[in-house]
Amino acid sequence: MMFQIYGSTAATQLLGWVLVFVGLIVLNEIGRRTKAGGITIFVIIPILLTIYFIGIQLGAFGGHSNQTYEYMNGWFHYFKLYAADIGCVGFMMIKYKWGIGKQHWFKAFPWAIVAANILIAVVSDLESAVRAYQVVGNLGGAWWASNEGVFLYGGWWNVVNAIAGLINIFCMTSWWNVFTSKDQKDMLWPDMTVWFIIAYDVWNFQYTYANLPTHTWYCGVALLLAPTFANALWNKGAWIQNRANTLAIWCMFAQVLPLFQLSDTFSVLPSVYGGAQELGINALTLYEKAIAVYNSGVNTSNEVIAELGITANPTMQGVWSILALAANVICIAVIIKRSKANKINPFTSDVWVGTKDYEEAAARME
């Protein structure tokens, strides 16, 4: 119902997901367990990649024919990579008490960078709704082509998910209470329990599902489940660190090898592109058509999609937006209830004291 996974490519599509999921977990473990691992993955490799990216712009490494230049040369892709990596380095500064990482005020850094990233996603959702409205004069749904070479089907679901994202920012509680674990492996945020994690995951999945549809099988499913899986089984309280680490790792991989998620072998399209797989249309085909529409300066997306034979099917986008709003409304309602009962400010004090998740995370504190 959500993804077009069947036929001759189903095995490789599932294999690709497993490879990404396992790879993210393994590399996150390497990056979090030692200073050497963290410095290598989140400092040295990004420096080398920066040299590589500059070289591509100057004509080296294949220049304009390099897949990074051809498919991932937009400013947003680079911004997302470096923003995620800055988060990882900031969390390491808190964990290892490097420089300003020792200061109490810097403990609000995790909240600030997560809030900023959520706001960027909210703006993206609202942009999609506005673009659709400009085409048909309502929020019932319309196609448009983004500068990332993706046909997006915007509508009311984007507005609903944007509201869920705004609520999600205030579901992060106890902003200054982040700590180092006893074993020095993790930055812990004990009050970021399963309540927030579920609310965030549902919201963020819908964000990728609606706004990064040709990538969401990986950046929406595998990428979100990897840190949640680790937090649930062996790394309690360090979800936000795991989330930042896996996001940065994924962005680095996707920036260097974008064809992995665009090729016919591993690409997976969501149900919004109704009938695409039966028609033999993959993510790379859609990218080439969408970037041509974007570069033309004239929004002929609806006409191009019709010519391809695709029928818009936004049902699951609507379902997930409603689920995202419901999850975040429930989460913020419980936070308000617990805060009133305990007579505390939820943004300066721990809200989830006494819950299993909180106590297990707090037991790991230095």
Side-chain angles (χ1 to χ4, degrees):
M1 292 177 64
M2 293 169 56
F3 293 98
Q4 300 182 50
I5 304 176
Y6 45 81
S8 60
T9 59
T12 53
Q13 289 172 325
L14 293 169
L15 173 63
W17 188 93
V18 171
L19 291 174
V20 170
F21 179 72
V22 173
L24 289 172
I25 288 177
V26 171
L27 288 173
N28 175 54
E29 290 301 306
I30 293 173
R32 64 169 274 263
R33 287 177 177 271
T34 65
K35 290 181 182 179
I39 291 171
T40 299
I41 294 178
F42 303 115
V43 178
I44 295 175
I45 290 178
I47 290 173
L48 294 176
L49 286 180
T50 300
I51 296 170
Y52 174 68
F53 297 148
I54 293 172
I56 291 172
Q57 300 298 321
L58 296 176
F61 310 113
H64 291 191
S65 63
N66 185 290
Q67 59 179 291
T68 294
Y69 187 95
E70 190 168 356
Y71 301 107
M72 298 288 280
N73 201 44
W75 70 268
F76 181 79
H77 298 296
Y78 289 108
F79 174 83
K80 195 68 179 175
L81 188 161
Y82 289 106
D85 192 58
I86 288 171
C88 297
V89 174
F91 295 172
M92 287 172 63
M93 292 172 68
I94 294 173
K95 177 169 66 172
Y96 296 124
K97 299 180 176 62
W98 291 340
I100 57 175
K102 292 184 269 188
Q103 303 300 317
H104 179 72
W105 64 266
F106 194 69
K107 289 187 175 184
F109 173 76
W111 173 84
I113 197 163
V114 175
N117 276 275
I118 293 173
L119 282 174
I120 292 170
V122 167
V123 171
S124 183
D125 253 325
L126 293 176
E127 179 192 15
S128 191
V130 169
R131 291 296 187 94
Y133 185 86
Q134 290 173 338
V135 174
V136 294
N138 60 61
L139 293 175
W143 292 104
W144 64 284
S146 75
N147 63 350
E148 296 170 24
V150 182
F151 283 117
L152 303 177
Y153 197 70
W156 61 265
W157 40 88
N158 294 106
V159 177
V160 172
N161 201 57
I163 295 170
L166 290 173
I167 296 172
N168 191 249
I169 292 173
F170 297 96
C171 289
M172 288 186 285
T173 54
S174 196
W175 299 347
W176 282 271
N177 290 345
V178 295
F179 308 92
T180 301
S181 63
K182 295 174 185 176
D183 57 12
Q184 300 286 305
K185 292 179 181 177
D186 299 298
M187 183 197 77
L188 303 176
W189 190 343
D191 218 46
M192 187 169 272
T193 66
V194 67
W195 285 85
F196 172 81
I197 294 169
I198 291 175
Y200 177 93
D201 280 358
V202 175
W203 162 77
N204 194 263
F205 169 75
Q206 166 54 12
Y207 165 72
T208 65
Y209 196 66
N211 298 281
L212 300 167
T214 56
H215 301 173
T216 191
W217 177 238
Y218 298 108
C219 72
V221 183
L223 180 56
L224 282 170
L225 285 180
T228 301
F229 184 78
N231 183 84
L233 295 184
W234 67 82
N235 198 6
K236 189 67 71 176
W239 176 86
I240 192 60
Q241 171 196 266
N242 298 336
R243 166 61 177 164
N245 289 356
T246 52
L247 177 59
I249 292 165
W250 169 252
C251 287
M252 287 186 270
F253 172 79
Q255 195 72 7
V256 175
L257 296 171
L259 283 176
F260 173 83
Q261 56 188 339
L262 290 176
S263 67
D264 189 47
T265 304
F266 294 111
S267 69
V268 176
L269 295 177
S271 58
V272 68
Y273 302 109
Q277 185 147 326
E278 293 95 326
L279 295 166
I281 298 170
N282 63 18
L284 185 57
T285 301
L286 290 173
Y287 173 89
E288 292 169 348
K289 296 286 186 181
I291 205 69
V293 170
Y294 177 81
N295 289 335
S296 73
V298 180
N299 187 6
T300 57
S301 300
N302 284 319
E303 292 84 349
V304 172
I305 290 292
E307 289 172 1
L308 289 171
I310 292 172
T311 302
N313 180 13
T315 302
M316 294 310 297
Q317 291 185 346
V319 169
W320 277 97
S321 286
I322 292 171
L323 288 174
L325 182 60
N328 280 279
V329 167
I330 292 170
C331 186
I332 197 69
V334 175
I335 288 170
I336 292 171
K337 180 181 178 181
R338 291 181 67 92
S339 299
K340 286 184 174 180
N342 296 318
K343 297 180 180 179
I344 59 171
N345 181 333
F347 306 123
T348 58
S349 302
D350 292 332
V351 171
W352 301 102
V353 175
T355 63
K356 183 174 182 292
D357 260 21
Y358 177 90
E359 297 303 332
E360 289 182 0
R364 298 185 61 209
M365 291 192 304
E366 186 177 50

